Structure formats: structure tokens, C-alpha cells
Amino acid sequence: MPFDPATLGFPVELAKIPQELKKLWAADGDTKTRASLINFAVYTEGTEAFAANTHLIEEFVRDHACRAILVGYCPRVTPPKISAWIQAHCHLTKAGAKQICSEQVTLLAEGVSEEGVANALLANLDYDLPLNLWWHPEFPESASSPIWNRIDRLIFDSTNWKDRSEQLHRLHLLKAHSANRMALSDLNWTRSLAIRQAVAQCFDNPVLLAEIPAIHRIEIRHLAGFESTAQLLACWFGAQFGWNVSAHTQDSIQFQSSAGTFIECRFVASSSAGIALSSLTIVSANATLTLDREMGSALLHSRLQDSTGVSESHFSAGAESVKGLLSEEMNPGLRHKVYLKALALLQTIF
Amino acid sequence: MNQTPNSTTNPLREGLSNRSLPRPCNVVIFGASGDLTYRKLIPALYNIQADGDLPVTTHITGFARREKTDEAFREELGEALTKFSRSGRNEEVWKDFSARLHYHRSEFGDEEGYRTLAERLNKLDEEHGTAGNRLFYLSVSPSEFEGILAKLAQFGLNKTKDGSWARVIVEKPFGKNRATAHALNEMVSHVFAEQDTYRIDHYLGKETAQNIMVLRFANAIFEPLWNHQYIDHIQITAAEPMGVEARGPYYDSAGALRDMVQNHLTQILCLVAMEPPTDLSADSVRDEKLKVVRSMRLMSPEDVAKNVVRGQYASGCVGGKDVPAYRSEDRVNPESETETFVAIKVHVDNWRWAGVPFYVRVGKRLPKHGAEIAVYFKETPGVLFNAQQAGLGPNVLVIRIQPDEGISLRMQSKRPGAQLCIESVKMDFQYGTSFGKPSPEAYERLLLDAMAGDATLFARRDEVDLAWTFIDCIEDAWHKNQTPPPMTSYPAGSWGPKEADDLLAADGRAWRRL
């Protein structure tokens, strides 16, 4: 989409952003309330995604009051300059009397160094609030930018990684630089959240729980392009069940349990479902659990066949949209730790 | 190092949602023609669905006496939803939701009605995979409990199949005193086990009530000060401008003490005063609350005369409208001695709260609607600023339960200018504006919890028993005593009787104006 500055609000001088934001709120009197619980920065390269990201931010702030900072970095432009715009995204409260607003600052950084962009971003954070940075490009080779040790939550989508091994290496570098404060939010991992929650609920059933040592086959059907989502899901099972990777091919992983048994995990690409993960089957000695989702359905359907018969259930299929995935990531929890365990196992197949 | 999973814990649960998830079930509402169903329960279930949290195969059956078809029931509920749902009515969500609503006409004592209900629920189980999970909501007068529970047992509706559950939610009033509460508990316990009995107190489902524990135990700055060394006293207020409306007969037999203090305000007091629980399980939290109720000093008739004020509203003006006296309200005894206002000085006799009074007040026909907890900290020594400017006032932390749920902190600040002039300022946090989205209704949270089997926000039998013991002392002093303390009067639209102000004035304190 061509870059249209009119969609970004009022142009302002970079050095005067705080004052201009104050003026923006003062002008609206008592009818609007500014709300902010986090800094939500979106870091992109170029200006092509400005309009789409502004729209996404407008939707996102309805549920997550924040200061949003949209950054577009164009390194090879001269002369170097940083242009800025500000705008407010407002929505009515339940009572309808007051509008709740979040502010968006857009920075277009042309020809400046990475450090220069980072400084401009850091200078415009809402003070004392955590920084959630959604990093769109590939990770940089070095962690020299001052931004990396200021991030509280780094959001990214590993589905887009071209060289997964290299990106993972760089991610570890950045993580090490952040002195472990930075939480990792991989949207690729969030994509499997609903299926993980559903399968976890199914394993609350003591009959199925007792079958864990007897699992010998897993099959995951995924949309073409979402192989990594399926692999992460498989490695989650491996990490949580205490399995190691013993072999792998492009469309399978063989795990080995601590008792020495082998578990075959197969990935089947499917273009028909239109859903990143459309089905999961877990087969053990005495039970078969299937979870699947049909296109257009907001539900996951489970079918458990065991020695006592067949039982079926439905679960929420969760978010598929980027906005939905981002919203999920704003919920705090212990996912980070579990993600790192799955990632560590996944790393062994790169 | 890899570990073989323990055979009793589910390793897949690690890192996922730390709250229990609701399971598909059949919800049966007894008293489905009542106000609560239309105003609260159905809007709550609808909003749970709209938020994507209602398990998809959950069905809701209304059980009531009036002749009605499923369609007519759905139509009435649809209209009610437009009025009472916090998120309005989305036609797509409503279409899906309304298909899950059913109406079952029967007298509460009619055996045939229960036999056909059992058949209907079994059929829904078969068709929708609800696996025999049942949640019965008794939104009826307590006089109906016994009959309904006996019939549920007679037709095996309280029995669970393998891996399924049957739970009952009981609305207040849970008894009229300790003896009747005990009898009611006994009656329920013959049909449902304690872990399947959910005594609902909607105050505990309110976001701010849930936030009390978070405020206290997730912030480092409050808990060290949360004791008799730093806190002077605590005020808990529940005020409403409404009269008894259509509840005249019930209210006249209950009164403010039983209607509000025994349940809502005692529960709130417990959350404010309790020790940190060992974990967040239902029983750990309720164990700590129980210790607080046990520490509430029981009062002799003389103590009641000194520490409790009861009042009844006379005619007056509320919100610009003239309103009648309580005794002139519809279906209220013209010589009624029922209190519509009560103020109590509660002592919690334990190490943390020794010497710190909890002033609790509740009243009808007060000028404003509001419920809050105000924690008054001790004043700074009378030197430096306090020496120069008398009456600066203490720091006050206010937790607003309703409306405008939030927290504010009053502190002293220098007014700008060359002169040293100190003024009280308020730091204010409001849920509605800070989080940019409305809090769910209390019933939403509580229904979800009941479907998930999480009883943390429901009162346990022993809590109810002990709360009644405290209340009975006061009721007995009022009604079984030769020289009971007088019933005071206050004009509707005022902040209660003068005697309530005197209660605090005697201690050199004053009620907070909401």
C-alpha cells in the first residue's frame, strides 16, 4: 500500500512530541480520557506497512490501553532525518459518556543509524511502563542497539523466518544481551495455544493421562507454510513428556522417551483447511485422541476413543488473526518458560 | 534433564491458563421466571458466550411454574438481554446462544416435572456431549429449597456418572439465623456434597473485591503497613438510594443486618483482614477468611447497645423525589421494627488487628449508590508540617467496589506557591479507564467459576455458620432482650441516623462521605 502521511495524524517535530501530545489531550477537554498501561512499539522496515499497522493498532488499543509507537526504518535514504506524527485512537466506554483514548506516535526514520532509531523510540516511551516491542524484520546480527536491554516483551513471528537456524542464533544473542529480563512472545507459538489448551484439557482425563508412556504416534495436519508451527507443537509434546529427538526428516520427527520407546510424529501439509493447524491425532496403546477444526468453525472438536468407548467434546479454537494473537500475548503467564523448553528441543533438528 | 511425567499430574498444563476452565454442562435455573434470571443470570451467560468462554455444548434450561414454550421463553429473554446485557445484544451471538435455551414448565413439587427434566437432560447429554455435567441454580425462595432438593435426589439428578459432576448454586438468604442456616446446610448436604455446593455472594464476583487480595499480596508497599501499627481504622460502606421496591415482604422479615452484613459485608471484611493464604486454592483462601470470622468479637447485649446502631428511614427526599417512609412502603408492616440501616463497630481480635476498629455501615434510602472500603492510616507525628498546619488528615486508601470500580489514595501535597500550604490530593485508578474495557459482571465470573469447579469466590459452610453466630448476637440483643437498644430514625436521603455519626464521634472519628 502506498505511504499516505494523512493516515498517521498530525505531523510534529520529533523533539516536540511530548508537548504536542499534551496539547492533543488538552484540546479535547473532559470528554476524553487517555489510558495507557504499556508501551506497544511496532518496528517495521519501510513505509509499506504503515497503513495496515495503524489500522491494527486502532483495533488493538480497544482492549489494551497503551502508547503505541509505530516505527518505519529506511536505512538507505539521504539526507538522514526522522519524521514524526501523532494521533489518538478513541472508543466509547460502556456508559457512553466518555471516550477512552490511546495515543499513537509514528516515527519514520530515514538514513539514520540503528542506534539513532532506537534513541528516538526510547525517548518517546510512556515513562515507567513496560515496553512490548513487536519486531517485524529479521533479527539483526548484533545486539549493539540500546533498545535490546530495554525490552520487557519481544514479540515476533517465527513463521516468517527464512533461515531458522540463524534467526534462532541471533535471538539467543539478543536474549543474552537483555540479561534475561526480556520475555519472548512468538506469534507462531501463540497460533497453537488453543490446540494446546484443548489437548491439555483432554489429558486431565485420568484414563488418557495414564496413556502418556504408551503414546507411539502423533500426526499434525497444517497449512502449507506453517510447518514450523506444527514442529513447535510437536516439540511442546516432546518437552512436556520428557522425550528427546532421535531422528527427523522434513515431514517427521522421531522422539524417544526416557524409557526408550519411540514416538513417530508426522506432519501433513494440507491446503484445504485454510487454518494453520487443522488437526492433531495422538495414538497410544489403548486410546486415540483426535482434535480437529473445520474451515469457518470457531470450535475445535475432540474425539477420544479408549477402552471405555468414544467421547466427544468441543473447545474454543482461539485466535487466528494477528490482532487476536497479539491480544493473547498480552495475557501474562508462564508460557515463556514452556516456549523455551519447546524451542530448545526444536533447535536440535535445525 | 528430562523427567518422566508423574502419573498423577498433567504435564501439558504447565504454563497454560492458571485458572480452571469451564466444562460443558447443562445449567438448570429453578425460578426461571424471576427477576434474577432476566436481569442477571441470562445476561451473564450470554456475555460469557460473547466473550468466547462458554463451552460450546453448554445448554441452559429454565425451570418454572408459568406456562411457556421454548420460543416464548427465548423471546422474553432476548428482550431482557437488550436492556440488561453489558455488551448489548449481537444478533449472531444471540442466534447461537438462544438455540441453547430451553424452558421446562413444572411446579417445584411436581414429580412428573422432575422425571421429564431428567429425561430432557439425558437427551441433551447424548446430543451435545455434556457428559452428564449439571449445574443447578436455585434462584428461588429458601422455602422451596427442601422440595426441589428432595426431588433432584429422588430422580437421581444429583448423582454423577463416571467423571462427570453435579453442582448446586444457592442464592442468599442462606438462612435467617445460625439454626436455620444449619438446617438448610444439612438439607443441602444430604443431596450435594460440600465441594459441589456453591453459596453465591455476588459481591465476591466484583472485580474490585477480587482485586483486594491482589492489591494486598501482589504489591510490596501495602502489606507491611496492613496492620495495627499503621492503620487507624477501616470503614466499609454499602449505600443505596433505593427503598425496598418490590421486596417488601422479604426485606421486612430480614432487615439490613441479615440482608447485607451477614453475607456481603462480612465477606468483604474477611478479604481486607485475612492473612495471606498458603496458595490460591479455594480452601486455602476460605481457611484464612474463616479465621477472620472466628476472630470477630461476639457482642453481649450491652456491647450491642454501645457498638451497633440500627435505623429505619422516615419519609424524605432522594434524588429530588419525595419518597415515603419505610413503614408506608408496599407490603411492609406499618408498625415494622425492621432496620433499613445498620452501623457496627467490629473488633477483629487477632494479632494483626488488635485495637483497629472496622466500622461497617449499610443503608437504604441514602443519598448515593456506592460500596467501598476506606483504610485510614495513622497520622504522622505532630511535628514539622503537622505542627504548622493542624488537621491535615490521614492518608486514606479507598477501594471502590461499585460504581466506578477502582482505587484511590489520599495524600498530602504542597500547594504551588511561595507559601507553605499543604493540601490533600487524590491519586485515582479506575478500572473503566485504565484497562479500556468494562469489567465483567459479577455473575459472569461466578457462573464461570462454578462451571469450572472453582469455589474460591463462594462461601463455605463453616464461614456461613460463624458469620451467623456473629449476627445472631446482635439480632438477639435487639429482639430477645428485655431492654433492647432503640430503633433510630433517619430521613430518606440523609446519610443515616445521627447515632451512627455519634458511634464514630465517640472515638474521635467520622464517616467518610461517599
Short mmCIF file of all heavy atoms in Angstrom, two decimals, chain B residues 114-160:
data_model
loop_
_atom_site.label_atom_id
_atom_site.label_comp_id
_atom_site.label_asym_id
_atom_site.label_seq_id
_atom_site.Cartn_x
_atom_site.Cartn_y
_atom_site.Cartn_z
N TYR B 114 -39.91 -33.41 37.35
CA TYR B 114 -38.51 -33.80 37.54
C TYR B 114 -38.15 -35.02 36.69
O TYR B 114 -37.03 -35.14 36.21
CB TYR B 114 -38.21 -34.04 39.03
CG TYR B 114 -38.25 -32.77 39.82
CD1 TYR B 114 -39.44 -32.25 40.29
CD2 TYR B 114 -37.09 -32.05 40.09
CE1 TYR B 114 -39.49 -31.06 41.00
CE2 TYR B 114 -37.12 -30.86 40.80
CZ TYR B 114 -38.33 -30.37 41.25
OH TYR B 114 -38.37 -29.19 41.95
N ARG B 115 -39.15 -35.90 36.57
CA ARG B 115 -38.89 -37.09 35.74
C ARG B 115 -38.62 -36.65 34.29
O ARG B 115 -37.66 -37.08 33.66
CB ARG B 115 -40.10 -38.04 35.80
CG ARG B 115 -39.83 -39.42 35.20
CD ARG B 115 -41.07 -40.28 35.14
NE ARG B 115 -42.13 -39.71 34.32
CZ ARG B 115 -42.10 -39.64 32.98
NH1 ARG B 115 -41.05 -40.10 32.33
NH2 ARG B 115 -43.09 -39.08 32.32
N THR B 116 -39.46 -35.72 33.79
CA THR B 116 -39.27 -35.27 32.41
C THR B 116 -38.02 -34.39 32.30
O THR B 116 -37.36 -34.37 31.26
CB THR B 116 -40.50 -34.50 31.90
OG1 THR B 116 -40.88 -33.52 32.88
CG2 THR B 116 -41.67 -35.43 31.66
N LEU B 117 -37.68 -33.70 33.38
CA LEU B 117 -36.43 -32.90 33.36
C LEU B 117 -35.22 -33.83 33.21
O LEU B 117 -34.32 -33.58 32.41
CB LEU B 117 -36.29 -32.07 34.65
CG LEU B 117 -34.98 -31.28 34.77
CD1 LEU B 117 -34.92 -30.14 33.76
CD2 LEU B 117 -34.79 -30.72 36.19
N ALA B 118 -35.25 -34.94 33.97
CA ALA B 118 -34.15 -35.90 33.89
C ALA B 118 -34.03 -36.45 32.48
O ALA B 118 -32.91 -36.55 31.92
CB ALA B 118 -34.37 -37.03 34.89
N GLU B 119 -35.16 -36.77 31.88
CA GLU B 119 -35.15 -37.29 30.50
C GLU B 119 -34.56 -36.25 29.55
O GLU B 119 -33.75 -36.54 28.68
CB GLU B 119 -36.58 -37.62 30.05
CG GLU B 119 -37.10 -38.92 30.63
CD GLU B 119 -38.57 -39.14 30.28
OE1 GLU B 119 -39.15 -38.36 29.48
OE2 GLU B 119 -39.13 -40.09 30.83
N ARG B 120 -35.03 -35.01 29.76
CA ARG B 120 -34.58 -33.93 28.87
C ARG B 120 -33.06 -33.71 28.98
O ARG B 120 -32.37 -33.54 27.98
CB ARG B 120 -35.32 -32.65 29.28
CG ARG B 120 -35.28 -31.59 28.25
CD ARG B 120 -36.30 -30.50 28.58
NE ARG B 120 -36.35 -29.58 27.45
CZ ARG B 120 -37.24 -28.64 27.32
NH1 ARG B 120 -38.17 -28.47 28.22
NH2 ARG B 120 -37.21 -27.83 26.28
N LEU B 121 -32.56 -33.74 30.22
CA LEU B 121 -31.12 -33.52 30.41
C LEU B 121 -30.31 -34.68 29.84
O LEU B 121 -29.25 -34.47 29.24
CB LEU B 121 -30.81 -33.32 31.90
CG LEU B 121 -31.42 -32.07 32.56
CD1 LEU B 121 -30.99 -31.97 34.02
CD2 LEU B 121 -31.03 -30.80 31.83
N ASN B 122 -30.82 -35.89 30.02
CA ASN B 122 -30.12 -37.05 29.46
C ASN B 122 -30.04 -36.95 27.95
O ASN B 122 -29.02 -37.27 27.33
CB ASN B 122 -30.84 -38.35 29.86
CG ASN B 122 -30.61 -38.68 31.31
OD1 ASN B 122 -29.63 -38.23 31.91
ND2 ASN B 122 -31.52 -39.44 31.91
N LYS B 123 -31.13 -36.47 27.36
CA LYS B 123 -31.17 -36.34 25.90
C LYS B 123 -30.16 -35.27 25.45
O LYS B 123 -29.42 -35.46 24.48
CB LYS B 123 -32.59 -35.96 25.47
CG LYS B 123 -32.84 -36.02 23.99
CD LYS B 123 -34.34 -36.16 23.71
CE LYS B 123 -34.60 -36.07 22.22
NZ LYS B 123 -34.99 -34.75 21.77
N LEU B 124 -30.14 -34.17 26.18
CA LEU B 124 -29.17 -33.10 25.84
C LEU B 124 -27.74 -33.62 25.98
O LEU B 124 -26.87 -33.31 25.17
CB LEU B 124 -29.38 -31.88 26.74
CG LEU B 124 -30.61 -31.01 26.43
CD1 LEU B 124 -30.84 -29.98 27.54
CD2 LEU B 124 -30.45 -30.29 25.10
N ASP B 125 -27.53 -34.45 27.02
CA ASP B 125 -26.20 -35.04 27.21
C ASP B 125 -25.81 -35.87 25.99
O ASP B 125 -24.69 -35.76 25.48
CB ASP B 125 -26.19 -35.97 28.44
CG ASP B 125 -26.12 -35.22 29.75
OD1 ASP B 125 -25.72 -34.05 29.72
OD2 ASP B 125 -26.47 -35.81 30.78
N GLU B 126 -26.76 -36.68 25.55
CA GLU B 126 -26.47 -37.57 24.41
C GLU B 126 -26.22 -36.76 23.14
O GLU B 126 -25.30 -37.05 22.38
CB GLU B 126 -27.67 -38.49 24.16
CG GLU B 126 -27.70 -39.71 25.05
CD GLU B 126 -29.02 -40.45 24.91
OE1 GLU B 126 -29.65 -40.37 23.84
OE2 GLU B 126 -29.43 -41.09 25.89
N GLU B 127 -27.03 -35.74 22.96
CA GLU B 127 -26.93 -34.98 21.71
C GLU B 127 -25.73 -34.05 21.67
O GLU B 127 -25.20 -33.75 20.61
CB GLU B 127 -28.21 -34.16 21.49
CG GLU B 127 -29.41 -35.01 21.15
CD GLU B 127 -30.71 -34.21 21.16
OE1 GLU B 127 -30.68 -33.01 21.52
OE2 GLU B 127 -31.74 -34.78 20.82
N HIS B 128 -25.33 -33.54 22.82
CA HIS B 128 -24.32 -32.48 22.82
C HIS B 128 -23.05 -32.80 23.59
O HIS B 128 -22.19 -31.93 23.77
CB HIS B 128 -24.93 -31.20 23.38
CG HIS B 128 -26.14 -30.76 22.62
ND1 HIS B 128 -26.06 -30.21 21.36
CD2 HIS B 128 -27.45 -30.82 22.92
CE1 HIS B 128 -27.27 -29.95 20.92
NE2 HIS B 128 -28.14 -30.31 21.84
N GLY B 129 -22.91 -34.01 24.06
CA GLY B 129 -21.66 -34.40 24.71
C GLY B 129 -21.38 -33.68 26.01
O GLY B 129 -20.24 -33.41 26.35
N THR B 130 -22.45 -33.31 26.75
CA THR B 130 -22.23 -32.61 28.01
C THR B 130 -21.88 -33.59 29.13
O THR B 130 -21.66 -33.18 30.28
CB THR B 130 -23.47 -31.77 28.41
OG1 THR B 130 -24.65 -32.42 27.95
CG2 THR B 130 -23.41 -30.41 27.77
N ALA B 131 -21.84 -34.85 28.78
CA ALA B 131 -21.26 -35.88 29.66
C ALA B 131 -21.90 -35.96 31.04
O ALA B 131 -21.26 -36.38 31.99
CB ALA B 131 -19.76 -35.64 29.81
N GLY B 132 -23.13 -35.53 31.18
CA GLY B 132 -23.80 -35.65 32.47
C GLY B 132 -23.45 -34.55 33.46
O GLY B 132 -23.85 -34.61 34.62
N ASN B 133 -22.68 -33.54 33.01
CA ASN B 133 -22.34 -32.44 33.92
C ASN B 133 -23.57 -31.54 34.10
O ASN B 133 -24.15 -31.09 33.12
CB ASN B 133 -21.19 -31.60 33.36
CG ASN B 133 -19.91 -32.39 33.30
OD1 ASN B 133 -19.71 -33.33 34.08
ND2 ASN B 133 -19.04 -32.03 32.38
N ARG B 134 -23.91 -31.25 35.36
CA ARG B 134 -25.11 -30.44 35.62
C ARG B 134 -24.85 -29.38 36.67
O ARG B 134 -24.20 -29.63 37.68
CB ARG B 134 -26.25 -31.33 36.12
CG ARG B 134 -27.01 -31.96 34.99
CD ARG B 134 -27.27 -33.40 35.25
NE ARG B 134 -27.52 -34.11 34.00
CZ ARG B 134 -28.10 -35.28 33.93
NH1 ARG B 134 -28.46 -35.89 35.03
NH2 ARG B 134 -28.28 -35.86 32.78
N LEU B 135 -25.37 -28.21 36.38
CA LEU B 135 -25.26 -27.10 37.33
C LEU B 135 -26.67 -26.60 37.62
O LEU B 135 -27.33 -26.06 36.74
CB LEU B 135 -24.41 -25.98 36.72
CG LEU B 135 -24.16 -24.75 37.58
CD1 LEU B 135 -23.37 -25.11 38.83
CD2 LEU B 135 -23.38 -23.69 36.78
N PHE B 136 -27.12 -26.83 38.85
CA PHE B 136 -28.47 -26.40 39.24
C PHE B 136 -28.38 -25.07 39.96
O PHE B 136 -27.59 -24.94 40.92
CB PHE B 136 -29.12 -27.44 40.15
CG PHE B 136 -29.31 -28.78 39.47
CD1 PHE B 136 -28.46 -29.84 39.77
CD2 PHE B 136 -30.29 -28.96 38.51
CE1 PHE B 136 -28.61 -31.06 39.14
CE2 PHE B 136 -30.45 -30.18 37.87
CZ PHE B 136 -29.59 -31.23 38.18
N TYR B 137 -29.16 -24.10 39.52
CA TYR B 137 -29.14 -22.78 40.15
C TYR B 137 -30.47 -22.58 40.85
O TYR B 137 -31.51 -22.51 40.20
CB TYR B 137 -28.93 -21.70 39.07
CG TYR B 137 -28.46 -20.39 39.64
CD1 TYR B 137 -27.22 -19.86 39.31
CD2 TYR B 137 -29.24 -19.67 40.53
CE1 TYR B 137 -26.76 -18.66 39.84
CE2 TYR B 137 -28.80 -18.47 41.08
CZ TYR B 137 -27.57 -17.97 40.73
OH TYR B 137 -27.13 -16.79 41.27
N LEU B 138 -30.44 -22.49 42.17
CA LEU B 138 -31.68 -22.32 42.93
C LEU B 138 -31.95 -20.83 43.13
O LEU B 138 -31.55 -20.23 44.12
CB LEU B 138 -31.59 -23.03 44.29
CG LEU B 138 -31.30 -24.53 44.28
CD1 LEU B 138 -31.54 -25.11 45.67
CD2 LEU B 138 -32.15 -25.27 43.27
N SER B 139 -32.62 -20.24 42.15
CA SER B 139 -32.96 -18.82 42.23
C SER B 139 -34.40 -18.72 42.72
O SER B 139 -35.28 -18.17 42.04
CB SER B 139 -32.80 -18.19 40.85
OG SER B 139 -33.21 -16.86 40.87
N VAL B 140 -34.64 -19.31 43.89
CA VAL B 140 -36.00 -19.38 44.44
C VAL B 140 -35.94 -19.04 45.93
O VAL B 140 -34.86 -18.97 46.52
CB VAL B 140 -36.58 -20.81 44.29
CG1 VAL B 140 -36.80 -21.17 42.84
CG2 VAL B 140 -35.68 -21.84 44.97
N SER B 141 -37.11 -18.86 46.49
CA SER B 141 -37.18 -18.58 47.93
C SER B 141 -36.65 -19.80 48.71
O SER B 141 -36.89 -20.95 48.30
CB SER B 141 -38.63 -18.31 48.28
OG SER B 141 -38.88 -18.68 49.60
N PRO B 142 -35.96 -19.57 49.83
CA PRO B 142 -35.40 -20.70 50.59
C PRO B 142 -36.47 -21.71 51.00
O PRO B 142 -36.17 -22.89 51.20
CB PRO B 142 -34.80 -20.04 51.83
CG PRO B 142 -34.56 -18.63 51.44
CD PRO B 142 -35.59 -18.27 50.42
N SER B 143 -37.72 -21.26 51.09
CA SER B 143 -38.78 -22.19 51.48
C SER B 143 -38.98 -23.28 50.41
O SER B 143 -39.55 -24.33 50.69
CB SER B 143 -40.09 -21.44 51.72
OG SER B 143 -40.48 -20.77 50.54
N GLU B 144 -38.50 -23.02 49.20
CA GLU B 144 -38.64 -24.01 48.12
C GLU B 144 -37.46 -24.98 48.06
O GLU B 144 -37.51 -25.98 47.36
CB GLU B 144 -38.74 -23.30 46.75
CG GLU B 144 -39.82 -22.26 46.64
CD GLU B 144 -41.20 -22.86 46.43
OE1 GLU B 144 -41.32 -24.11 46.49
OE2 GLU B 144 -42.16 -22.11 46.24
N PHE B 145 -36.38 -24.65 48.77
CA PHE B 145 -35.15 -25.45 48.65
C PHE B 145 -35.39 -26.93 48.92
O PHE B 145 -35.00 -27.80 48.14
CB PHE B 145 -34.07 -24.96 49.63
CG PHE B 145 -33.37 -23.69 49.23
CD1 PHE B 145 -33.76 -22.97 48.11
CD2 PHE B 145 -32.29 -23.21 49.97
CE1 PHE B 145 -33.12 -21.80 47.75
CE2 PHE B 145 -31.64 -22.03 49.62
CZ PHE B 145 -32.06 -21.33 48.52
N GLU B 146 -36.05 -27.16 50.06
CA GLU B 146 -36.18 -28.55 50.52
C GLU B 146 -36.89 -29.41 49.47
O GLU B 146 -36.43 -30.50 49.13
CB GLU B 146 -36.92 -28.60 51.85
CG GLU B 146 -36.93 -30.01 52.42
CD GLU B 146 -37.37 -30.04 53.88
OE1 GLU B 146 -37.91 -29.03 54.37
OE2 GLU B 146 -37.16 -31.09 54.52
N GLY B 147 -38.01 -28.88 48.96
CA GLY B 147 -38.79 -29.63 47.97
C GLY B 147 -37.97 -29.89 46.71
O GLY B 147 -37.95 -31.03 46.20
N ILE B 148 -37.29 -28.87 46.24
CA ILE B 148 -36.52 -29.02 44.99
C ILE B 148 -35.37 -30.02 45.20
O ILE B 148 -35.17 -30.94 44.39
CB ILE B 148 -35.97 -27.66 44.52
CG1 ILE B 148 -37.13 -26.74 44.10
CG2 ILE B 148 -34.98 -27.83 43.37
CD1 ILE B 148 -36.73 -25.31 43.79
N LEU B 149 -34.66 -29.86 46.30
CA LEU B 149 -33.51 -30.75 46.55
C LEU B 149 -33.96 -32.21 46.69
O LEU B 149 -33.30 -33.12 46.16
CB LEU B 149 -32.76 -30.30 47.81
CG LEU B 149 -32.00 -28.97 47.68
CD1 LEU B 149 -31.58 -28.45 49.04
CD2 LEU B 149 -30.79 -29.13 46.77
N ALA B 150 -35.08 -32.39 47.39
CA ALA B 150 -35.58 -33.76 47.58
C ALA B 150 -35.93 -34.40 46.24
O ALA B 150 -35.61 -35.57 45.99
CB ALA B 150 -36.81 -33.74 48.50
N LYS B 151 -36.53 -33.60 45.36
CA LYS B 151 -36.92 -34.15 44.05
C LYS B 151 -35.68 -34.40 43.17
O LYS B 151 -35.63 -35.37 42.43
CB LYS B 151 -37.88 -33.18 43.34
CG LYS B 151 -39.25 -33.08 44.02
CD LYS B 151 -40.10 -34.31 43.72
CE LYS B 151 -41.43 -34.26 44.42
NZ LYS B 151 -41.35 -34.37 45.91
N LEU B 152 -34.71 -33.52 43.28
CA LEU B 152 -33.48 -33.75 42.50
C LEU B 152 -32.86 -35.08 42.91
O LEU B 152 -32.41 -35.87 42.07
CB LEU B 152 -32.47 -32.61 42.71
CG LEU B 152 -32.81 -31.25 42.09
CD1 LEU B 152 -31.75 -30.21 42.47
CD2 LEU B 152 -32.90 -31.35 40.57
N ALA B 153 -32.86 -35.32 44.23
CA ALA B 153 -32.29 -36.58 44.73
C ALA B 153 -33.15 -37.77 44.31
O ALA B 153 -32.62 -38.81 43.87
CB ALA B 153 -32.17 -36.51 46.25
N GLN B 154 -34.47 -37.62 44.41
CA GLN B 154 -35.39 -38.72 44.08
C GLN B 154 -35.20 -39.19 42.64
O GLN B 154 -35.26 -40.39 42.35
CB GLN B 154 -36.84 -38.24 44.28
CG GLN B 154 -37.87 -39.32 44.06
CD GLN B 154 -39.29 -38.76 44.23
OE1 GLN B 154 -39.49 -37.71 44.86
NE2 GLN B 154 -40.26 -39.45 43.68
N PHE B 155 -34.93 -38.24 41.75
CA PHE B 155 -34.78 -38.62 40.34
C PHE B 155 -33.30 -38.74 39.92
O PHE B 155 -32.99 -38.73 38.74
CB PHE B 155 -35.56 -37.65 39.45
CG PHE B 155 -37.04 -37.86 39.59
CD1 PHE B 155 -37.76 -37.16 40.54
CD2 PHE B 155 -37.69 -38.83 38.84
CE1 PHE B 155 -39.12 -37.39 40.71
CE2 PHE B 155 -39.05 -39.06 39.00
CZ PHE B 155 -39.78 -38.35 39.94
N GLY B 156 -32.44 -38.80 40.91
CA GLY B 156 -31.02 -39.08 40.63
C GLY B 156 -30.30 -37.96 39.92
O GLY B 156 -29.21 -38.16 39.37
N LEU B 157 -30.88 -36.76 39.95
CA LEU B 157 -30.24 -35.66 39.22
C LEU B 157 -29.00 -35.13 39.93
O LEU B 157 -28.22 -34.38 39.36
CB LEU B 157 -31.25 -34.53 38.99
CG LEU B 157 -32.31 -34.87 37.93
CD1 LEU B 157 -33.55 -34.01 38.08
CD2 LEU B 157 -31.71 -34.71 36.54
N ASN B 158 -28.84 -35.50 41.18
CA ASN B 158 -27.64 -35.09 41.93
C ASN B 158 -26.53 -36.12 41.79
O ASN B 158 -25.43 -35.92 42.25
CB ASN B 158 -27.98 -34.92 43.41
CG ASN B 158 -28.50 -36.21 44.03
OD1 ASN B 158 -29.07 -37.04 43.31
ND2 ASN B 158 -28.31 -36.39 45.31
N LYS B 159 -26.84 -37.23 41.14
CA LYS B 159 -25.84 -38.31 41.01
C LYS B 159 -24.98 -38.06 39.78
O LYS B 159 -25.49 -37.65 38.73
CB LYS B 159 -26.54 -39.66 40.86
CG LYS B 159 -27.35 -40.06 42.08
CD LYS B 159 -26.45 -40.72 43.11
CE LYS B 159 -27.23 -41.27 44.28
NZ LYS B 159 -27.89 -40.24 45.10
N THR B 160 -23.70 -38.32 39.93
CA THR B 160 -22.81 -38.12 38.80
C THR B 160 -22.47 -39.44 38.16
O THR B 160 -22.40 -40.47 38.84
CB THR B 160 -21.51 -37.43 39.25
OG1 THR B 160 -20.94 -38.22 40.29
CG2 THR B 160 -21.77 -36.04 39.75
#
